[in-house]
């Protein structure tokens, strides 16, 4: 069996990291698997010299992604509102001519937006007789153009994309997978997906890399990690407010990656960082199954998060962490305080939860069953 994983990005963002980790886990278990990502624009050296900022921006995009943004902008009445909150999967890069595609028995889609794949190309995969598995990393599959329900608006783009998805889904040839039970519930409540074949399989993590260190230290240190610390959906303002409520005789040290210290790319350095704090906090307003919580728990660092998305599935309240009331900074502060008082017990339980639920071996076994099964509607 040969598997081809398709993901817009290789490492940028949680969905891409999850896809890459799955590929590595499959390879460790003897599966022949490859990955293709979006081909970005190759910028001439002259443009780097003349306009370096423009060159860097272009290198992060593809011509298909720029074309799709232009269509969204035009059909939204030349407004930039929701320009990056929506995807219509109208344009994509043709991967059917590649050697990797022709050799693959299974085409495993992950997050494929922003000009990587179009819906018509996915239809071609089915026409070519490929087994198509699609792991959902947000709610985009359940709606038309939007990714997050709280950003939803009834627009022409939303209705048009919804109809195009319905036509593709009606073929009943795609095995959908959600990373969390929350996303499974979202899919089952969607008129688009209610009757489709869907399974729930979490993302994997390397528990030999993300693990407690013998020199684990404690203080009053709180860690926050997000791809973009300024993204309002990550709820940094709630965490800042919560830390202020905690500050008393002994000050709480908040470490926000990208704000208080530079971003870290080396995974071993991230492991050391997780091990150097008392609690990891992710006050997101919308989440699926965040890799950062999984990483922290694997390192024996208990977590605090709002009761939203897949977070309550990962954090067992007062067992291996604390689940705070949604958008409640005071309860978030209570949770941080509770974890600091019980960090050793909670940290050990957090590590046990990851070993039992998110280990590479457990996740790979379930995906191999999906790859070999016939789709039953």
């Amino acid at each position: 069996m040969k598997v081809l994983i398709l993901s817009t990005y290789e490492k940028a963002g949680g969905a891409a990291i999850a896809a890459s980790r799955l590929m590595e886990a499959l390879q460790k278990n003897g599966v022949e698997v490859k990955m293709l990502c979006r081909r970005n624009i190759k910028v001439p050296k002259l443009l780097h010299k003349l306009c370096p900022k423009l060159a860097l921006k272009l290198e992060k995009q593809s011509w298909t992604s720029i074309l799709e943004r232009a269509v969204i902008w035009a059909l939204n009445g030349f407004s930039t509102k929701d320009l990056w909150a929506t995807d219509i999967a109208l344009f994509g890069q043709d991967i059917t001519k590649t050697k990797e595609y022709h050799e693959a028995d299974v085409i495993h889609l992950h997050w494929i937006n922003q000009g990587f794949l179009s819906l018509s190309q996915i239809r071609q995969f089915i026409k070519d007789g490929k087994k198509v598995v699609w792991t959902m990393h947000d709610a985009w599959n359940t709606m038309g153009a939007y990714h997050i329900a709280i950003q939803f608006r009834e627009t022409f783009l939303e209705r048009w994309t919804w109809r195009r998805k319905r036509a593709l889904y009606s073929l009943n040839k795609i095995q959908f997978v959600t990373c969390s039970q929350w996303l499974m519930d979202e899919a089952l409540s969607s008129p688009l997906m209610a009757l489709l074949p869907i399974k729930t399989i979490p993302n994997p993590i390397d528990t030999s890399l993300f693990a407690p260190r013998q020199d684990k230290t404690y203080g009053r240190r709180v860690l926050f990690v997000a791809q973009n610390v300024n993204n309002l959906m990550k709820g940094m303002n709630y965490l800042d407010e919560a830390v202020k409520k905690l500050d008393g005789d002994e000050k709480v040290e908040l470490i926000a990656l990208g704000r208080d210290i530079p971003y870290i790319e080396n995974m071993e350095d991230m492991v050391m960082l997780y091990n150097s704090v008392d609690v990891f906090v992710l006050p997101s307003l919308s989440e699926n199954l965040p890799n950062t919580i999984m990483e922290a728990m694997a390192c024996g660092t208990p977590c605090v998060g709002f009761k939203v998305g897949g977070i309550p599935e990962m954090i067992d309240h007062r067992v291996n962490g604390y689940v705070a009331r949604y958008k409640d900074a005071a309860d978030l502060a209570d949770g941080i305080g509770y974890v600091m008082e019980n960090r050793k017990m909670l940290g050990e339980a957090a590590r046990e939860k990851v070993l039992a639920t998110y280990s590479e071996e457990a996740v790979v076994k379930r995906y191999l069953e999906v790859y070999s099964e016939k789709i039953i509607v």
Side-chain angles (χ1 to χ4, degrees):
M1 179 191 298
K2 296 183 179 181
V3 178
L4 178 61
I5 290 177
L6 300 180
S7 170
T8 300
Y9 305 108
E10 182 181 7
K11 296 290 186 180
I17 291 171
S20 294
R21 287 179 179 173
L22 176 60
M23 179 182 70
E24 293 165 3
L26 289 166
Q27 289 172 339
K28 289 178 185 177
N29 284 268
V31 179
E32 192 169 345
V33 55
K34 295 181 180 179
M35 180 186 232
L36 289 180
C37 300
R38 190 185 69 186
R39 300 184 303 277
N40 286 359
I41 297 170
K42 293 183 178 179
V43 177
K45 292 182 179 179
L46 180 60
L47 185 59
H48 273 286
K49 292 181 179 179
L50 296 175
C51 192
K53 289 185 178 180
L54 175 61
L56 288 173
K57 287 183 178 180
L58 285 174
E59 284 183 334
K60 294 180 180 180
Q61 296 297 327
S62 66
W63 292 119
T64 48
S65 67
I66 292 174
L67 183 58
E68 184 156 295
R69 287 314 112 182
V71 171
I72 293 172
W73 174 68
L75 294 180
N76 269 340
F78 304 104
S79 168
T80 57
K81 183 176 177 60
D82 293 344
L83 183 60
W84 294 99
T86 55
D87 276 292
I88 57 177
L90 184 62
F91 302 102
Q93 299 175 347
D94 186 9
I95 63 102
T96 62
K97 303 294 192 298
T98 64
K99 178 183 177 183
E100 292 86 352
Y101 176 81
H102 284 287
E103 291 180 347
D105 303 299
V106 177
I107 305 297
H108 190 160
L109 311 178
H110 284 262
W111 201 90
I112 47 78
N113 296 114
Q114 293 191 9
F116 182 37
L117 295 179
S118 67
L119 295 180
S120 61
Q121 288 168 324
I122 298 170
R123 180 185 288 268
Q124 184 63 47
F125 301 163
I126 296 170
K127 185 178 179 181
D128 290 343
K130 303 291 187 179
K131 172 68 179 285
V132 178
V133 177
W134 197 341
T135 295
M136 300 160 52
H137 292 278
D138 58 29
W140 183 76
N141 294 82
T142 71
M143 298 182 281
Y146 286 87
H147 290 266
I148 301 175
I150 59 176
Q151 295 178 328
F152 175 87
R153 289 192 307 131
E154 187 65 44
T155 65
F156 168 77
L157 278 177
E158 171 66 21
R159 294 190 296 271
W160 179 48
T161 309
W162 193 95
R163 289 194 294 269
R164 290 167 53 236
K165 285 182 182 177
R166 181 177 60 182
L168 174 64
Y169 295 173
S170 67
L171 299 174
N172 292 324
K173 294 292 185 180
I174 301 174
Q175 174 62 66
F176 289 96
V177 176
T178 66
C179 302
S180 66
Q181 184 59 46
W182 163 78
L183 192 51
M184 167 72 91
D185 294 340
E186 291 289 301
L188 293 177
S189 64
S190 164
L192 261 178
M193 305 192 73
L195 301 178
L196 296 177
I198 309 173
K199 295 179 181 290
T200 298
I201 304 176
N203 300 324
I205 189 168
D206 183 348
T207 53
S208 62
L209 171 61
F210 290 93
R213 297 293 191 255
Q214 289 183 348
D215 58 348
K216 193 172 181 67
T217 58
Y218 295 115
R220 282 172 64 82
R221 307 183 81 196
V222 176
L223 177 63
F224 169 88
V225 177
Q227 185 182 10
N228 181 1
V229 71
N230 297 315
N231 184 348
L232 294 178
M233 294 302 295
K234 294 300 179 180
M236 187 70 213
N237 55 316
Y238 291 97
L239 179 53
D240 282 331
E241 186 180 344
V243 169
K244 288 178 182 177
K245 294 178 182 296
L246 282 167
D247 277 341
D249 296 334
E250 193 175 355
K251 188 174 178 61
V252 173
E253 182 183 358
L254 173 58
I255 304 171
L257 217 61
R259 186 186 72 174
D260 303 316
I261 61 174
Y263 283 108
I264 296 174
E265 294 186 4
N266 183 279
M267 284 297 102
E268 183 61 37
D269 289 341
M270 277 302 305
V271 170
M272 297 307 295
L273 181 59
Y274 283 126
N275 274 276
S276 71
V277 300
D278 298 83
V279 54
F280 175 78
V281 183
L282 188 65
S284 295
L285 307 185
S286 177
E287 280 290 353
N288 182 16
L289 196 81
N291 292 320
T292 50
I293 286 181
M294 192 184 299
E295 292 166 358
M297 290 177 66
C299 292
T301 300
C303 301
V304 178
F306 285 139
K307 188 176 182 180
V308 65
I311 289 178
E313 300 171 37
M314 306 180 79
I315 303 173
D316 299 312
H317 188 52
R318 293 179 176 268
V319 175
N320 55 41
Y322 191 97
V323 180
R325 292 186 295 271
Y326 189 56
K327 293 186 177 182
D328 189 333
D331 198 29
L332 197 68
D334 289 344
I336 295 170
Y338 175 80
V339 169
M340 285 181 174
E341 292 174 4
N342 302 278
R343 55 199 171 195
K344 190 175 187 301
M345 174 193 71
L346 297 172
E348 291 173 352
R351 171 71 177 174
E352 291 173 4
K353 171 72 175 281
V354 171
L355 290 173
T357 311
Y358 308 123
S359 70
E360 292 178 326
E361 295 78 8
V363 173
V364 165
K365 180 181 178 182
R366 296 178 66 181
Y367 266 117
L368 289 178
E369 292 173 353
V370 168
Y371 293 158
S372 60
E373 288 175 350
K374 290 185 177 179
I375 296 177
I376 301 175
V377 182

